[in-house]
Amino acid sequence: LKYRNAETNLAEIVGSDPGYLEIHQLGVSAGRCFTQEEVLHKADVCLLGQSLLETLFPSGVALGRWVLIGGKRFLVVGELEKRGNFLGQSQDSYALMPHSTLKKRFGSELHTYIDARPLSVESTEEAIDEITDLLRRRRGIPTNGSSDFGVFTEDVLMDLYHKITGTFYIVMIAI
């Protein structure tokens, strides 16, 4: 990711639609999110996380500027609110662009993740079942076949986090 003489390789590029902000409870601190129209037209627009903004735009003016992502030009239309760190990793080192643009500019051989949020906590299992059924049908997986994808909830990820940090804690005591 580059703007004039400032450059960073510490960026995650995320392709999505405007619903990504709601699902991940993210806000835009300046500017706007890209529109569904921009997704349909594969527009070369992006939003930048705070770590990238601080690195590329120390003067603070990013909106309306063109940045290079993978050597391709993108117009900065929004700045994402600061999220902080999780497990020592910055949650602000990413650029968000329309998924159609990501595919057009960088190819279709990218990792695909589908993020969803149920309408209520009570409907979580139903939502998982619907998503699993839809993916199995779209991928042509027979009823008795194994899924070639995984579905993870926040609970599963938090359990993994606790297992990892618990292991580190035990190792630290043993040393």
Side-chain angles (χ1 to χ4, degrees), residues 88-115:
Q89 296 277 326
S90 172
Q91 301 298 297
D92 297 309
S93 295
Y94 67 97
L96 186 64
M97 67 179 63
H99 61 81
S100 55
T101 304
L102 183 69
K103 188 174 180 179
K104 171 185 88 172
R105 299 299 238 140
F106 300 103
S108 59
E109 297 299 316
L110 304 167
H111 295 288
T112 301
Y113 301 92
I114 299 172
D115 298 332

Side-chain angles (χ1 to χ4, degrees), residues 4-28:
R4 293 187 178 164
N5 294 328
E7 187 171 1
T8 181
N9 293 323
L10 302 174
E12 182 178 351
I13 312 304
V14 177
S16 72
D17 67 15
Y20 184 89
L21 297 179
E22 182 180 345
I23 289 171
H24 291 275
Q25 299 176 328
L26 294 172
V28 176

Side-chain angles (χ1 to χ4, degrees), residues 14-56:
V14 177
S16 72
D17 67 15
Y20 184 89
L21 297 179
E22 182 180 345
I23 289 171
H24 291 275
Q25 299 176 328
L26 294 172
V28 176
S29 61
R32 63 176 178 83
C33 186
F34 48 82
T35 64
Q36 192 60 42
E37 189 76 14
E38 288 170 321
V39 173
L40 292 172
H41 289 98
K42 302 173 185 152
D44 293 331
V45 295
C46 69
L47 291 91
L48 299 179
Q50 290 295 316
S51 293
L52 298 180
L53 291 165
E54 291 165 8
T55 300
L56 299 176

Side-chain angles (χ1 to χ4, degrees), residues 3 6 48 52-62 65-67 76:
Y3 177 73
L48 299 179
L52 298 180
L53 291 165
E54 291 165 8
T55 300
L56 299 176
F57 299 95
S59 66
V61 182
R65 310 280 183 175
W66 291 88
V67 295
V76 178

Side-chain angles (χ1 to χ4, degrees), residues 143-160:
T143 308
N144 59 350
S146 298
S147 296
D148 60 357
F149 59 88
V151 178
F152 301 97
T153 63
E154 272 185 18
D155 294 340
V156 170
L157 296 174
M158 286 309 293
D159 285 346
L160 178 61

